Amino acid sequence: MTLIDHLYELRYRLGWAAFGILVGAIFGFIWFSNHVFGLPTLSDILIRPYCQLPASVRFSPNGECQLLQTKAFEVFMLQLKVGIAVGALLFSPLWLYQLWAFITPGLHANERKFARTFVTIASLLFVFGAVLAYFVVPEGLGFMTSFGGGAFFTALTGGEYINFVLLMLLMFGISFEMPLVLVMLNRAGVVSYVKLKSWWRGIVFGLFVLAAIATPGQDPFSMLALAGCLVILFLVAMVICRAHDRSKAKKLAAQGMNMDDVDLDEASKVDYRASSLDTSASESRVGSADDAT
């Protein structure tokens, strides 16, 4: 395919991906305030962590658990934002397929196999991280509202609360991808199990720092929950990297190669001297041309 053909193909794939997200956004917008397939409304699902707070600390003007609207059309914009986010998540197979269909022709068979595995595991890890965040949110809110000695109640605006929940879901989901990145780097030969083992203290400390930065609630429950899961996933990634390096070492040993005798940090020996050119063939052609003239 020419460059123009690739651009046309990219436009075609992006068009279908945008159409899928648009359809999902419409579905999420309708689901926000309506029961779909017998499921609770999307607003009920999102507000449930806030409603798990004790009635004495949350805002209940009509005897019901509600959020505040302080601006005109704030609820409409929130419903649109949540609809787009949920639609992009639910219809992710459609736009991910378009991305996959655009990339696949340039991959080898083994690369396609690893890419499929990577996308599947990455999607599952993101979902697990988002589900964990959803169950952690009530604990974080309960801790943050425990200050004040009963002198305050929590009256969250819809925008602040929805943004908080969506950010928690997003940050937990993305953070769960970190161990998978380590495994892929190990498969690519960028980092080895030996290096990871020597760096494990610094990596664990970095995971706790990442958890402290990624959790927007500033409460210890969210940070410890995320950090603990990341450490467990890091240990699982270490086990996978160890098994891969052992298998790779056995294959190299079977071929008569021992990687223990090779220093991977040592620069390759390159002969920088200019090589001599064999000019005998060109001289013979020049001589034959002179004879012909």
Side-chain angles (χ1 to χ4, degrees):
M1 296 176 65
T2 63
L3 178 60
I4 298 299
D5 292 333
H6 279 293
L7 293 178
Y8 285 149
E9 176 72 10
L10 179 61
R11 184 183 65 178
Y12 173 78
R13 297 299 178 184
L14 289 178
W16 274 107
F19 175 75
I21 295 177
L22 178 61
V23 173
I26 297 174
F27 175 78
F29 186 87
I30 297 174
W31 185 21
F32 188 88
S33 55
N34 296 278
H35 294 275
V36 178
F37 305 120
L39 298 174
T41 63
L42 192 56
S43 60
D44 291 338
I45 295 175
L46 290 175
I47 202 175
R48 188 173 299 166
Y50 171 71
C51 294
Q52 292 180 9
L53 294 175
S56 58
V57 299
R58 57 177 167 82
F59 187 58
S60 303
N62 303 319
E64 299 179 359
C65 179
Q66 293 177 310
L67 297 173
L68 286 176
Q69 178 181 205
T70 59
K71 300 177 182 178
F73 303 109
E74 182 179 9
V75 175
F76 174 80
M77 296 305 299
L78 283 175
Q79 188 170 347
L80 183 61
K81 180 191 297 185
V82 173
I84 293 175
V86 173
L89 179 62
L90 293 180
F91 283 75
S92 58
L94 177 60
W95 58 266
L96 284 176
Y97 170 76
Q98 300 302 324
L99 177 63
W100 172 254
F102 180 75
I103 297 176
T104 297
L107 299 178
H108 297 291
N110 59 338
E111 294 173 339
R112 295 177 187 177
K113 179 184 66 175
F114 283 121
R116 284 194 295 267
T117 304
F118 176 81
V119 171
T120 302
I121 297 177
S123 302
L124 293 176
L125 287 176
F126 186 89
V127 171
F128 290 153
V131 171
L132 175 64
Y134 183 79
F135 288 103
V136 167
V137 166
E139 300 296 332
L141 288 175
F143 176 81
M144 297 303 295
T145 57
S146 63
F147 297 99
F152 302 91
F153 67 88
T154 305
L156 298 177
T157 64
E160 292 175 348
Y161 174 75
I162 296 298
N163 290 335
F164 170 75
V165 173
L166 291 180
L167 185 59
M168 285 282 289
L169 299 178
L170 180 63
M171 295 307 297
F172 270 62
I174 294 177
S175 299
F176 267 52
E177 307 294 340
M178 297 301 175
L180 180 61
V181 173
L182 288 179
V183 173
M184 297 305 295
L185 290 176
N186 175 258
R187 291 276 178 175
V190 177
V191 64
S192 63
Y193 166 76
V194 176
K195 289 292 184 181
L196 291 176
K197 185 178 179 181
S198 62
W199 298 340
W200 76 269
R201 293 180 179 86
I203 293 177
V204 170
F205 176 77
L207 291 177
F208 274 86
V209 173
L210 174 65
I213 297 174
T215 51
Q218 294 89 33
D219 61 281
F221 294 101
S222 302
M223 186 199 75
L224 292 177
L226 179 58
C229 291
L230 290 180
V231 171
I232 294 175
L233 289 175
F234 170 69
L235 295 177
V236 174
M238 288 273 290
V239 173
I240 296 175
C241 292
R242 182 183 183 184
H244 173 259
D245 288 355
R246 283 187 172 183
S247 176
K248 183 177 180 180
K250 289 181 180 180
K251 291 180 180 179
L252 292 176
Q255 299 174 3
M257 300 174 61
N258 187 6
M259 296 302 295
D260 295 334
D261 299 334
V262 179
D263 186 5
L264 298 179
D265 296 328
E266 181 181 356
S268 301
K269 296 181 180 179
V270 179
D271 188 3
Y272 55 86
R273 295 172 299 177
S275 59
S276 58
L277 297 177
D278 185 8
T279 60
S280 58
S282 60
E283 290 177 353
S284 63
R285 286 197 297 269
V286 172
S288 60
D290 292 339
D291 295 339
T293 55

